[in-house]
Amino acid sequence: MKFLQNTGLTLFVLGLAIFTAIPFLGTWELDASMVKETTKEMHREVMVDILTPMYDKTYSSQFAFIDEYSRHFGAYNESLKAEEKWDQVIWDDYAFPLTKNASEGPVSASPLLFLFLSIGLAVFGGLLYILPLHRNETAGIKNDGIYFSSMKARGWLGIVTGTYLIVFYIILYWYPEYMANLVIMVDPLSEVLSGGPASQWFLYGLVYTLAILVMGIRMFRKYRGNNYQTIRTVSVMFFQLSFAFLIPEILVLFNMPWHDFKNIWPLDYSFFYEYRLEGMISSGALGMFMLVWGILLIIIGVPIFTYFYGKRWYCSWVCGCGGLAETLGDPYRQLSDKSLKSWQIERYLVHGVLVFAVLMTVVTLTNYFMEFGLLGQATDQLHSIYGFAIGSAFAGVIGTGFYPFMGNRVWCRFGCPLAAYLGIVQRFKSRFRITTNGGQCISCGNCSTYCEMGIDVRWYAQRGQNIVRSSCVGCGVCSAVCPRGVLKLENGEESGRINDMPVIIGNNSVKLKS
């Protein structure tokens, strides 16, 4: 079995190396027909003229191609800006589609081959490594030696992994032209699912989904014997594969707006943007269903489900961000900061993002219903600020790239506005709580160590006090790692949910606080 795991690890590293090398393979050649095919009609003639010096040239690297494109395109725009001819400035960036169309070489000739050699090998190798895990061991969660692991305890492997993820997200969000070959590689899959060529977001969705599926299988091995962990892992795998990846792509195939039915505002912060509203309204009955369904989830679904089940119904069972955190991020859950200062920062930051999202949406809707007579297109600037700071930098670069540094729920804990909304309901009007039996607690600290949300669970357990924290996502790992069965996830009556007389365990005695 050790040989099989070593083989799997080798194949995974090889697949990752090929994936990393693919953007640098081939040559790039541009001609006028590509420019005409790629650019909007209003920009076509100008773009053909701007890029004339690039025709009939062969570029041996994407860096040279993109650099020359940026030089010519930037010079044109800068000259117009200097003359304050703002209506003639081309605000669209065609770097990605032009780089993709101009790519020639082995990747564009055999995309499926490179898909297998990169993502395919990584998935296969990962499964070979995962499937033998904990074989011939008793059922139960295995967390032995995590603080001696270079990957799981901020060692050099963890630092390399985190750095790789951060760089990947930065390129994905702001420099997708450097991923052109990787997107070409998944074009055949996109053609099958949506009927059109892939974008960087299709590539990301594919990698994201496969990460949850493969690491979900790891969860089955690690948490075998624990039905709660198994079922919720199946749940996040199902919702990511179907609702977040396959169904939205199939909708596009039938000329419907791309829509993730499980994504809820304000996490889906663009739900009330003009192009989303117009797209749903103009798409007939299904489009109207998308709009009504989304609104019902916000004002009815979230409060009702959270009242009965706490925020775990979404954060640990449905959400794609939570699904990635619970699968790919599981090895890093112990790295979350449990300090009081961290909790204070968390409360101000996550609720601040919620307020920002609400205000932006109110302004957006007001401007929309006033037919843009209030602020004109100025709301686009507000959208850009939120999209850059929260949607990209926080949720993506920090939210995922910082798994090996700050734990797996950085985004959910400090930045997700939907988590803040769910948490407010959970804290003040919910049947969900984690009950504790203080008399059985031996203060081993397992519960606090493995709490991904940075809750000092042991502090509550020692006092026999129910845990009703707004940040708790009900993952249940604290209960699973407790050797004494002190913790239990419950959906009981509201009365007694917040107990005012917890057990105090001191050096001299055990007494009730009255």
Side-chain angles (χ1 to χ4, degrees):
M1 287 301 166
K2 195 68 175 176
F3 172 77
L4 190 64
Q5 285 190 293
N6 288 336
T7 301
L9 186 59
T10 301
L11 291 176
F12 173 80
V13 173
L14 179 61
L16 185 62
I18 294 173
F19 181 86
T20 307
I22 283 174
F24 305 98
L25 302 178
T27 57
W28 285 261
E29 295 183 12
L30 186 68
D31 59 45
S33 62
M34 292 179 184
V35 180
K36 292 177 182 178
E37 178 186 343
T38 302
T39 55
K40 295 178 181 178
E41 185 176 355
M42 60 188 297
H43 300 146
R44 195 164 294 158
E45 185 177 345
V46 174
M47 288 296 294
V48 168
D49 183 60
I50 293 172
L51 301 177
T52 299
M54 297 183 67
Y55 303 152
D56 300 322
K57 284 187 179 181
T58 299
Y59 299 87
S60 59
S61 76
Q62 61 178 349
F63 296 101
F65 178 87
I66 295 169
D67 180 66
E68 184 158 358
Y69 163 81
S70 300
R71 186 157 49 83
H72 293 302
F73 183 73
Y76 172 80
N77 272 344
E78 290 302 321
S79 63
L80 293 176
K81 290 177 183 178
E83 298 172 13
E84 298 186 357
K85 297 179 179 179
W86 304 107
D87 58 327
Q88 298 180 36
V89 174
I90 300 176
W91 300 103
D92 299 86
D93 188 358
Y94 295 108
F96 170 71
L98 286 173
T99 304
K100 184 183 177 186
N101 284 357
S103 178
E104 297 183 356
V107 180
S108 55
S110 306
L112 288 177
L113 173 63
F114 281 89
L115 179 62
F116 170 76
L117 291 176
S118 57
I119 295 176
L121 274 186
V123 169
F124 182 65
L127 291 174
L128 282 183
Y129 179 82
I130 288 168
L131 290 174
L133 285 175
H134 311 303
R135 187 180 177 86
N136 300 323
E137 294 181 10
T138 56
I141 298 176
K142 311 299 187 299
N143 285 309
D144 301 335
I146 57 168
Y147 284 112
F148 298 96
S149 168
S150 180
M151 175 63 81
K152 303 173 185 177
R154 301 190 183 99
W156 72 270
L157 273 178
I159 293 173
V160 170
T161 301
T163 302
Y164 186 93
L165 288 171
I166 290 169
V167 171
F168 175 82
Y169 272 91
I170 289 174
I171 296 173
L172 174 74
Y173 282 116
W174 298 300
Y175 306 100
E177 56 269 27
Y178 292 99
M179 287 187 169
N181 275 354
L182 291 173
V183 177
I184 291 171
M185 178 182 72
V186 297
D187 266 343
L189 286 182
S190 180
E191 292 284 353
V192 171
L193 289 176
S194 66
S199 67
Q200 72 268 35
W201 304 117
F202 180 87
L203 169 70
Y204 179 52
L206 176 66
V207 173
Y208 196 105
T209 301
L210 289 174
I212 289 179
L213 295 180
V214 172
M215 293 300 284
I217 294 173
R218 173 189 172 276
M219 294 286 283
F220 297 151
R221 300 299 301 159
K222 177 180 176 181
Y223 293 93
R224 63 195 180 98
N226 189 302
N227 290 335
Y228 182 79
Q229 299 301 327
T230 299
I231 295 172
R232 78 182 184 93
T233 300
V234 170
S235 178
V236 296
M237 292 167 71
F238 166 76
F239 278 105
Q240 176 60 33
L241 178 62
S242 57
F243 283 79
F245 185 63
L246 292 179
I247 292 176
E249 295 297 331
I250 294 172
L251 285 173
V252 174
L253 180 64
F254 290 99
N255 295 317
M256 292 293 174
W258 190 101
H259 191 80
D260 181 352
F261 286 94
K262 67 173 181 52
N263 211 1
I264 305 173
W265 177 91
L267 178 60
D268 182 12
Y269 60 89
S270 66
F271 183 78
F272 292 107
Y273 286 8
E274 177 193 6
Y275 77 93
R276 291 283 300 276
L277 292 174
E278 296 294 344
M280 289 184 283
I281 292 171
S282 63
S283 297
L286 181 58
M288 288 305 298
F289 174 76
M290 293 175 183
L291 180 60
V292 174
W293 172 258
I295 294 172
L296 289 177
L297 278 178
I298 296 166
I299 62 177
I300 298 177
V302 166
I304 290 179
F305 282 114
T306 307
Y307 172 75
F308 284 103
Y309 305 108
K311 65 193 289 186
R312 61 174 169 162
W313 76 269
Y314 188 79
C315 295
S316 288
W317 288 70
V318 174
C319 180
C321 301
L324 191 70
E326 292 295 341
T327 52
L328 181 67
D330 179 72
Y332 309 107
R333 62 170 56 249
Q334 69 279 355
L335 300 179
S336 61
D337 191 343
K338 314 301 191 296
S339 68
L340 180 61
K341 183 177 181 180
S342 180
W343 183 21
Q344 293 170 338
I345 294 173
E346 169 193 330
R347 288 183 293 173
Y348 284 109
L349 200 54
V350 75
H351 293 106
V353 173
L354 175 60
V355 170
F356 185 8
V358 170
L359 291 177
M360 178 187 69
T361 302
V362 169
V363 171
T364 297
L365 285 175
T366 303
N367 199 39
Y368 177 78
F369 286 113
M370 293 181 66
E371 298 182 347
F372 301 95
L374 177 64
L375 298 172
Q377 298 300 321
T379 48
D380 290 344
Q381 299 301 316
L382 191 60
H383 298 165
S384 297
I385 293 171
Y386 189 96
F388 174 85
I390 309 301
S392 301
F394 206 156
V397 178
I398 297 174
T400 304
F402 277 45
Y403 279 2
F405 305 119
M406 296 177 62
N408 60 325
R409 287 277 190 172
V410 180
W411 162 246
C412 311
R413 183 181 176 188
F414 294 98
C416 179
L418 181 56
Y421 174 26
L422 291 160
I424 292 171
V425 178
Q426 174 173 278
R427 176 64 180 84
F428 296 106
K429 196 66 177 176
S430 177
R431 295 163 64 96
F432 172 72
R433 84 291 306 269
I434 299 178
T435 58
T436 62
N437 184 346
Q440 291 293 318
C441 180
I442 59 174
S443 299
C444 68
N446 279 357
C447 53
S448 292
T449 298
Y450 296 108
C451 178
E452 59 192 355
M453 297 303 292
I455 300 172
D456 187 0
V457 181
R458 179 174 58 179
W459 186 86
Y460 292 91
Q462 288 173 333
R463 296 160 57 87
Q465 187 171 354
N466 292 345
I467 300 169
V468 293
R469 285 269 290 269
S470 62
S471 57
C472 177
V473 294
C475 69
V477 172
C478 60
S479 175
V481 298
C482 178
R484 301 279 290 176
V486 171
L487 305 162
K488 184 179 179 182
L489 281 68
E490 294 187 6
N491 298 313
E493 297 296 329
E494 275 195 85
S495 58
R497 176 172 176 262
I498 300 177
N499 50 342
D500 296 323
M501 294 193 301
V503 176
I504 303 297
I505 302 177
N507 293 328
N508 299 323
S509 62
V510 177
K511 55 187 176 181
L512 292 177
K513 179 182 177 183
S514 58

